[in-house]
Amino acid sequence: MATRAQPRQLYPAGSAGAEALATGGAASAEGPGRSGPLQDETLGVASVPSQWRGVQGIRRETKSCQTASIATAEAAAQTWKHVDAEVQTEAPVPVGVLPASQYDGPRLAAFLRRVEAMVIRELNKNWQSHAFDGFEVNWTEQQPTVTCLHTLGYPPAQGQGLHVTSVSWNTTGSVVACAYGRLDDGDWSTLKSFVCAWNLDRRGLNPQQPSAVVEVPSAVMCLAFHPTQPSHVAGGLYSGEVLVWDMSHPEDPLLWRTGLTDDTHTDPVYQVVWLPEPRHSHRFQVLSAATDGKVLLWQGLGAGQLQLTDGFALVVQQLPRNTKLRKPPRGETEVGATAVAFSSFDPSLFVLGTEGGFPLKCSLAAEEAALTRRPSSVPLRAPAQLIFSPHGGPIYSVSCSPFHRNLFLSAGTDGHIHLYSMLQAQPLASLQLSHKYLFAVRWSPVRPLVFAAASGEGDVQLFDLQKSSQKPTVSIKQTQNESPVYCLEFNHQQTQLLAAGDAEGTVKVWQLSTEFTEQGPRETEDLEQLAAEVAT
Amino acid sequence: MELLDRLEMAEVEETLKRLQSQKRVQVIMVVNTEGIPIKSTMDNPTTTQYANLMHNFILKAWSTVREIDPQNDLTFLQIRSKKNEIMIAPDKNYFLIVIQDPTE
């Protein structure tokens, strides 16, 4: 089409064909009035090849991929041989002392001759020297004050208004358990209560959420952890039953129970203690003391039943007559036991605190049969050997000194603490700590002259007999509204910890300052001196 | 020979008694170089425990002194603790251990 418009430019001049073509083209372009034959002519298309653009074709390639087939193989392993082996430590054989005839007499004599003078000189220099006066070395970080490490509580129990009646540390010192109940109810209650345990060494300890909780059908009055099993705990109930739980099985914690048989206590059990069995000293039995005057020994049988193996009954007529009681108990002939403490030096000797306010020195080996009215499956004996001068009210707690075989403390509702020696009926010392009741007293496991007492005014009082025998060294305020502190226990493994439970339902773990945890140089001797003030 | 032995033993006993009567002495012990107690004023199990513990300590002190200066020798060792003081006189064959309470 483009060629018709400019014929002269395309075709070179002088080419006849081109002229004809050009004329014909021009003629037909003039319109209908052309003289040439009316024919349609189609002219060839002239194309101009592009000089810069190449033909773009579509290129195609075929590729495929396929995962290789998965190779599988089967192989089995099975132990088919095993060997049993046992390991047992043997008691170490002590190296014997050489018998006299075997050592070389002359050489020993010569040696002693040589060194004697020098040693005597050094010994004399030593006791005369003032070089180390006032020189003290501190190996542990000093804690100057008493601080509260944890405040533990169980909200459902606190919501019911339950008190913490007893606390106990387990054998490893890392778990503290508390028993909930009420200490001021006078009647039988169907109150459901709890035993809660917190593992203080666990990270992420939630003070309001115990690591183990056991629901108990009746109020729990006392608690004691097993001496070697870290998770077994025995508790005495308001109904007179004694139960043993395993806190490591939260779904089914109850191990043994006494049930309500003829043998069980008929009054609240105020204290339970674990004792080694007489023949198998690695197995333990439970001793329970209740206000019905009976002190009973139980052993766990396989069927979950606690069986009575031995027992004692306190009867007024059988009390020793060495001290004249100011107010002998009248009416009932039973003497209610409210506290038990065993001597750490003589395992068969124990002290009972009674409702009448007089401590009794008793022995597990007593032979005399008790005059009880109610029969029991095991014959009961009268354990009392010595009666001590009474307090002005019932005794709630006794504690035997771990450092001296004759000393023990008792605390009662008259607000006084009496320090007794087993050798005489009159107390060695009588300290008034509170104007209200005193609920618990415990000797410190590390310092021979220190003890702690829980008062009805909401304080935990720490006494250091070396510093002052009249007033407490430290008085820790546990409750803000003066509600009583009912129980306290020292931790025997981590000796700077003291747990105390109060009427608000909280257990506070106190960290004691270093002055209460490190023994001074002459404390045992000072304690001996105190005990020796026995009036002859 | 018997008589001589008896005389020597009597002398040993006398010397130990003299040492025991010094002011505030609590314990006297003689052990040999292997740590086996030979004479002691305490009961057997405690004596063996002390002897075993002291023995390693004495050897360590002796070797420390010799290592610092091979010409030097350990002549006396004293350990002072909060409650008492332990004094050790060493020798080629025996060690004499005396425990004293020096506080007022």
Side-chain angles (χ1 to χ4, degrees), chain A residues 320-326 386-390 424-426:
Chain A
R321 292 258 170 270
N322 56 302
T323 303
K324 195 153 176 298
L325 295 172
R326 268 178 280 139
L386 192 66
I387 192 171
F388 295 93
S389 181
Q424 72 173 28
Q426 293 296 321

Side-chain angles (χ1 to χ4, degrees), chain A residues 438-459:
Chain A
L438 284 174
F439 288 100
V441 67
R442 289 280 179 268
W443 285 102
S444 160
V446 279
R447 287 209 47 203
L449 291 165
V450 169
F451 62 87
S455 83
E457 287 161 347
D459 302 321

Side-chain angles (χ1 to χ4, degrees), chain A residues 55-75:
Chain A
V55 173
Q56 277 189 334
I58 300 173
R59 257 193 350 208
R60 224 178 288 162
E61 275 179 37
T62 312
K63 282 219 188 284
S64 71
C65 68
Q66 164 80 42
T67 52
S69 61
I70 299 167
T72 56
E74 272 190 35

Side-chain angles (χ1 to χ4, degrees), chain A residues 357-381:
Chain A
F358 42 88
L360 286 171
K361 174 178 160 188
C362 307
S363 168
L364 288 176
E367 305 256 319
E368 193 190 338
L371 308 165
T372 46
R373 281 173 297 178
R374 294 179 63 226
S376 85
S377 58
V378 171
L380 301 176
R381 295 174 276 156

Side-chain angles (χ1 to χ4, degrees), chain A residues 95 97 113-114 116 519, chain B residues 11 18 44 82-83 91:
Chain A
V95 178
V97 179
R113 229 176 289 144
R114 264 200 312 271
E116 183 191 355
Q519 234 183 58
Chain B
E11 190 188 340
R18 263 202 302 271
N44 210 357
K82 201 159 64 169
K83 296 189 185 174
D91 187 70

Side-chain angles (χ1 to χ4, degrees), chain B residues 84-96:
Chain B
N84 51 24
E85 178 140 0
I86 305 169
M87 284 181 269
I88 304 167
D91 187 70
K92 187 166 63 127
N93 310 109
Y94 304 101
F95 302 132
L96 171 68

Side-chain angles (χ1 to χ4, degrees), chain A residues 12-57:
Chain A
S15 156
E19 260 191 14
L21 198 60
T23 320
S28 62
E30 277 171 21
R34 314 188 265 262
S35 55
L38 288 165
Q39 304 189 34
D40 279 320
E41 275 184 58
T42 47
L43 298 173
V45 176
S47 68
V48 178
S50 165
Q51 281 171 339
W52 59 270
R53 195 187 287 168
V55 173
Q56 277 189 334

Side-chain angles (χ1 to χ4, degrees), chain A residues 461-532:
Chain A
Q461 297 189 348
L462 284 160
F463 253 82
D464 186 348
L465 291 171
Q466 203 174 42
K467 292 227 180 98
S468 157
S469 55
Q470 300 305 318
K471 60 180 189 60
T473 317
V474 174
S475 182
I476 312 168
K477 205 160 182 50
Q478 167 132 348
T479 53
Q480 298 308 313
N481 54 356
E482 298 209 350
S483 53
V485 179
Y486 283 129
C487 49
L488 55 80
E489 283 293 340
F490 281 96
N491 186 337
H492 287 252
Q493 271 21 44
Q494 300 182 47
T495 51
Q496 77 277 19
L497 296 181
L498 172 66
D502 57 32
E504 310 263 301
T506 45
V507 174
K508 291 204 178 168
V509 178
W510 300 95
Q511 182 170 30
L512 301 175
S513 48
T514 334
E515 57 176 346
F516 289 110
T517 53
E518 288 187 356
Q519 234 183 58
R522 294 197 64 83
E523 280 198 48
T524 330
E525 286 85 9
D526 289 341
L527 192 68
E528 298 270 341
Q529 222 170 19
L530 196 60

